[in-house]
Amino acid sequence: MQINVKGRQVEVTPALRDYAQAKFERVTRVFDQLHDVSVVLGVEKLLHKVEVTMQLSGKTLHADATAHDMYAAIDVLVDKVETQLRKHKEKITDHKADAVRSTRYA
């Protein structure tokens, strides 16, 4: 998995880049089939905005978050992304096969 961190009208410091990469590497615990993660950091008026686009096998997920602090915005975004990935993982899991196996051998 490759994590790209870019800034839109804001300079991305090494500390901010490391923080974002560490947080999004944590997401791989939920879903490990991520191919490419693109994080865009920006400022709109007084709010800090973070956007992410993730490439999965056959699907693209997008999320964004705003906060008064860039680190807080990244934290909120990681929580949103984890929720999206859990829902996606639940959709692709075959639950009916388990129900058939359990009733067949009961």
Side-chain angles (χ1 to χ4, degrees):
M1 174 182 76
Q2 184 175 358
I3 302 172
N4 299 321
V5 181
K6 299 180 250 180
R8 182 180 301 148
Q9 299 177 348
V10 68
E11 183 181 343
V12 179
T13 63
L16 196 57
R17 181 181 308 275
D18 292 341
Y19 185 77
Q21 287 179 345
K23 286 293 188 174
F24 280 100
E25 284 176 0
R26 194 184 86 190
V27 171
T28 59
R29 284 189 262 161
V30 175
F31 194 76
D32 60 349
Q33 299 173 358
L34 295 172
H35 298 293
D36 186 34
V37 177
S38 177
V39 181
V40 180
L41 310 174
V43 177
E44 292 182 0
K45 296 191 180 184
L46 297 176
L47 291 177
H48 297 269
K49 185 173 183 178
V50 182
E51 300 174 4
V52 66
T53 304
M54 297 179 295
Q55 300 291 328
L56 308 173
S57 54
K59 186 154 178 112
T60 301
L61 296 178
H62 180 79
D64 62 349
T66 58
H68 293 289
D69 181 21
M70 191 63 78
Y71 292 98
I74 292 171
D75 290 338
V76 170
L77 183 65
V78 168
D79 292 338
K80 284 184 180 182
V81 166
E82 284 180 349
T83 304
Q84 282 185 355
L85 288 174
R86 281 193 185 101
K87 285 183 181 181
H88 177 70
K89 188 175 179 180
E90 189 71 23
K91 286 180 183 179
I92 63 173
T93 305
D94 187 17
H95 296 287
K96 293 183 181 181
D98 292 336
V100 170
R101 282 189 215 121
S102 64
T103 58
R104 183 181 289 173
Y105 297 112

